[in-house]
Each structure stands twice: as structure tokens, then as C-alpha cells.
Amino acid sequence: MKKNFLSISLIACLTVFTACKTEKKNETSANDAETVTETTVEAVKYKAVPEESIIEWKGSKPTGTHTGTISLESGVIAIKDGALESGNFLIDMNTITVTDLEAGDGKEDLEAHLKGTVEGKEDHFFNVAEHPTAYFEVTGIEEIEGKTHIKGNLAIKGTKKNISFPVTVTENGDVATLTSEPFTIDRTNWNVNYGSKSVFDDLGDKFVNDDIELVVKVKAKKA
């Protein structure tokens, strides 16, 4: 009886662990690009402050996860009657940074691999030499289950796809903030295919998960 109880407990623990490990937060669908939202005359424009804005990322593989950040190069959001109306953000892919490793502990090697600055591995991930920036442009706002979702075209490595994810937008004097909930994109929709089991069938356990979890945090000041 004791042995059976331990076996059941172990299976339950493994099931919970696997479920948590594979959970996709606010999983997005990558659809065809849409028309960008126009900014009306009545809207108040805010210019992003790059040094106070950040995109946090999390990627995983069988042996664990890595986390990091990417900075904005520039951006503008327009708010009308307290609600986000339009916006666009230019993302500096040269600022890809790994935050879960220390210098000398593989941090520099992983950052170089992600950026594609290693000879022979230029196009494994983001190839910043050919594609130094990515961008996001707002195509609409929609309410889903009581949450505000921003729809927009995300362009990475020359491929543009429309996605949607939940955000909170606030105004406080001359400052506006846009903060997303964690959301997940499938990198292969933008031809970032290195180590993908959905693209290559001979990887065994030497693969990198397709999903990348992102959190967007933008601080902007009245233009």
C-alpha cells in the first residue's frame, strides 16, 4: 500500500510539473498583417522613453529556461479619452541581453548566438547584422473577457504577423505607461527556426521550444 501511494504521488507531482512547465500564457495566434490604426487629431501623443522601457523574454529547452531583455529604440503611443488609440515601437535587436547567467558563465556566448554574431551561426536566431531592428505597430484595440487587448503587426527578420495580447494603459500627468500581461509567441512564425522540433525531425532532446514568453513595459512622456 505504501509503495502504491508513493507511486501515485510521484505521478501526480510529475503531472503537475509538466503542466506548469508547458503552460502557455496568453498564447497568441500569428495572422496576416493588418492595416495600421490612424491617429486622430484629438488623441494625446506620448513619446516612449527608451531607457525606461523594456521587453522581457523567456525561452526554454529540456535542460531549463533562459531569461533576458530587449530595449526599445523609439516609440509613440496615442491615447484618446483614456484609451489607447494607436502606436508604434521600434525594437533594438542589438540590445538582446541574457539576465539569468553571469559574465563568464556562458552569458556572452548565448547573447552572441541569439544575435547571430558568431561565424556560421548568423541566421540561427535573429541575425542582427541583417535585421538590426524589429517593430510593432498597433492595428486595433479589442475587449476580450473584460481585458483590453492590443492588436498589432509584429515584424521580426522581415516577416510581419498580426498578434493580440492583453495590456493595461494608464495616464498620470505628462506620463503614460503601457504594460502587458505575459504572452507567448511561436518564434517559427517569424522564421526563427533553430532547434525547433516542429521544423526539424532529427533533434531528439537537443531542441529549443518554439514558444517565447514576452512582457512589454513602456514608459512614455507627453510629446
Side-chain angles (χ1 to χ4, degrees):
M1 179 67 70
K2 185 175 181 181
K3 183 181 294 185
N4 289 340
F5 176 77
L6 290 174
S7 298
I8 293 171
S9 299
L10 179 59
I11 292 171
C13 289
L14 288 174
T15 301
V16 171
F17 175 76
T18 302
C20 293
K21 186 176 181 181
T22 58
E23 180 185 4
K24 299 179 181 181
K25 297 181 179 179
N26 294 307
E27 182 180 7
T28 63
S29 297
N31 302 307
D32 292 340
E34 299 181 5
T35 303
V36 176
T37 303
E38 298 289 339
T39 303
T40 61
V41 175
E42 297 82 6
V44 179
K45 293 181 180 179
Y46 294 84
K47 186 176 181 181
V49 182
E51 59 269 24
E52 297 184 63
S53 304
I54 205 76
I55 299 172
E56 299 172 351
W57 60 264
K58 180 189 293 185
S60 62
K61 55 184 179 178
T63 54
T65 63
H66 288 296
T67 60
T69 61
I70 310 174
S71 299
L72 294 186
E73 183 172 310
S74 61
V76 175
I77 59 176
I79 298 176
K80 180 180 178 181
D81 299 327
L84 181 67
E85 180 181 75
S86 63
N88 59 79
F89 308 99
L90 192 63
I91 304 163
D92 184 356
M93 299 303 287
N94 282 286
T95 65
I96 294 174
T97 301
V98 175
T99 57
D100 66 293
L101 297 175
E102 299 292 336
D105 190 31
K107 173 182 170 69
E108 297 87 352
D109 290 342
L110 181 54
E111 289 174 349
H113 194 189
L114 293 171
K115 294 177 184 179
T117 55
V118 180
E119 186 176 356
K121 300 180 180 180
E122 290 84 356
D123 208 39
H124 280 190
F125 287 100
F126 298 103
N127 196 346
V128 299
E130 291 191 14
H131 306 282
T133 58
Y135 67 87
F136 182 83
E137 51 190 9
V138 177
T139 61
I141 305 296
E142 55 187 359
E143 295 295 322
I144 302 176
E145 297 180 350
K147 295 182 179 181
T148 299
H149 280 62
I150 183 173
K151 292 183 65 181
N153 299 325
L154 175 61
I156 302 174
K157 294 180 69 176
T159 297
K160 186 190 297 186
K161 296 288 184 178
N162 194 267
I163 62 173
S164 172
F165 52 90
V167 298
T168 300
V169 179
T170 62
E171 290 178 286
N172 185 8
D174 292 340
V175 176
T177 59
L178 181 153
T179 305
S180 78
E181 292 185 13
F183 64 97
T184 303
I185 65 171
D186 181 342
R187 61 189 173 93
T188 63
N189 288 311
W190 288 268
N191 297 315
V192 183
N193 295 329
Y194 176 78
S196 169
K197 288 183 72 173
S198 65
V199 177
F200 306 102
D201 58 8
D202 57 348
L203 298 174
D205 62 354
K206 306 294 185 181
F207 66 90
V208 179
N209 288 330
D210 292 346
D211 297 314
I212 301 175
E213 184 180 300
L214 302 173
V215 176
V216 179
K217 300 177 180 179
V218 177
K219 181 178 180 179
K221 293 185 177 181
K222 192 172 291 185

